[in-house]
Amino acid sequence: MRRLHLTLRALVIIAVILGLLWLGYALLRQRPQDLPWTRLDLSQPVGLFTGRKLAALTGDRAQCLALLDRAGIAYTAMKPGGGEGQCGYADAIRLKAEKGMIALSPAGVAPSCPVVAALRVWEWQVVQPAAQRLFGQPVRSITHFGSYSCRRMYGRSQGDFSEHATADAIDVASFVLADGHRISVVGDWKGEGKDAAFLREVRDGACDLFSTVLSPDYNAAHRDHFHLDQAERGATGWRACR
């Protein structure tokens, strides 16, 4: 019993030391985004808790809109709509065309505010840096398969509803560079060149920002797109990245 108590005490001491080291690292590096209690700032580099803070915006429309405003993101807030029961959206956002910003194609898509916030951070911190490093030019637009769809997962007649049923997801199919070159999930994921490297880098970066990221590595149903969603699973809930 004494040995057990000593072991538990040692574990507690180690946990405290690691916590202090983590706090010291965040403060010394001046990275408030690595701390769970600091305010989310969409203009800051991605931190350890950025993804969880973005997901936590679900259900707090006012805070999410304030973050978009503070980051200078042009948008139109949509009225609540959609279906009944498990389907419907209350915080859908349609991005406005902005010079120098990635356009969504088709342009009329209106994902939930937390998804839009994550998309812009993904653009600034992941997608454009990867495009500039690999291709020497920016991404001009992202082609998608839509956001809101009143359906269950995989279109089944039974089971859990998809995050698409509340516009808390978007399916990304391809990226178009400034010179018109298209990089598609279905056509380039299995390659070995720059296009494939780009897709894997932006997929991995999305995993730090969205609650769920599913790619062709997950299953055949995602062979032609990245599924990105902000499923609400709580501050310490599980996250999926495949």
Side-chain angles (χ1 to χ4, degrees), residues 81-102:
E84 299 179 352
Q86 296 289 332
C87 293
Y89 50 83
D91 60 348
I93 297 295
R94 179 172 294 160
L95 287 168
K96 293 182 179 180
E98 294 183 85
K99 185 178 180 180
M101 303 288 278
I102 293 178

Side-chain angles (χ1 to χ4, degrees), residues 12-27:
V12 170
I13 292 174
I14 291 172
V16 171
I17 292 173
L18 290 175
L20 291 174
L21 289 174
W22 169 51
L23 177 61
Y25 166 80
L27 293 176

Side-chain angles (χ1 to χ4, degrees), residues 65-78:
L65 294 180
L67 283 170
L68 297 186
D69 292 336
R70 195 153 51 239
I73 297 171
Y75 65 89
T76 298
M78 311 302 290

Side-chain angles (χ1 to χ4, degrees), residues 164-182:
H164 286 283
T166 52
D168 282 315
I170 189 169
D171 290 338
V172 171
S174 63
F175 303 80
V176 180
L177 300 180
D179 66 359
H181 176 63
R182 181 179 298 274

